[in-house]
Amino acid sequence: MSASIARTYRATVWKGDAEPVVFASLSEEQADRLEEIVNQAAGYDHEFELE
């Protein structure tokens, strides 16, 4: 019997030369929602990675 391991994500969001904002320990659902929001915001870039 194998246990399911929850994956967590770290997101870095920035705009231009501004200091990036890091969101840590996001669930997959939270990471998906944040990506939707950032994609709708003009001029923002982002990067997601597994923690």
Side-chain angles (χ1 to χ4, degrees), residues 17-44:
D17 294 332
E19 188 71 26
V21 176
V22 177
F23 298 87
S25 300
L26 297 172
S27 68
E28 188 168 358
E29 293 80 20
Q30 290 170 321
D32 287 345
R33 181 65 183 130
L34 180 60
E35 186 172 28
E36 288 175 16
I37 292 167
V38 172
N39 284 338
Q40 293 174 9
Y44 285 85

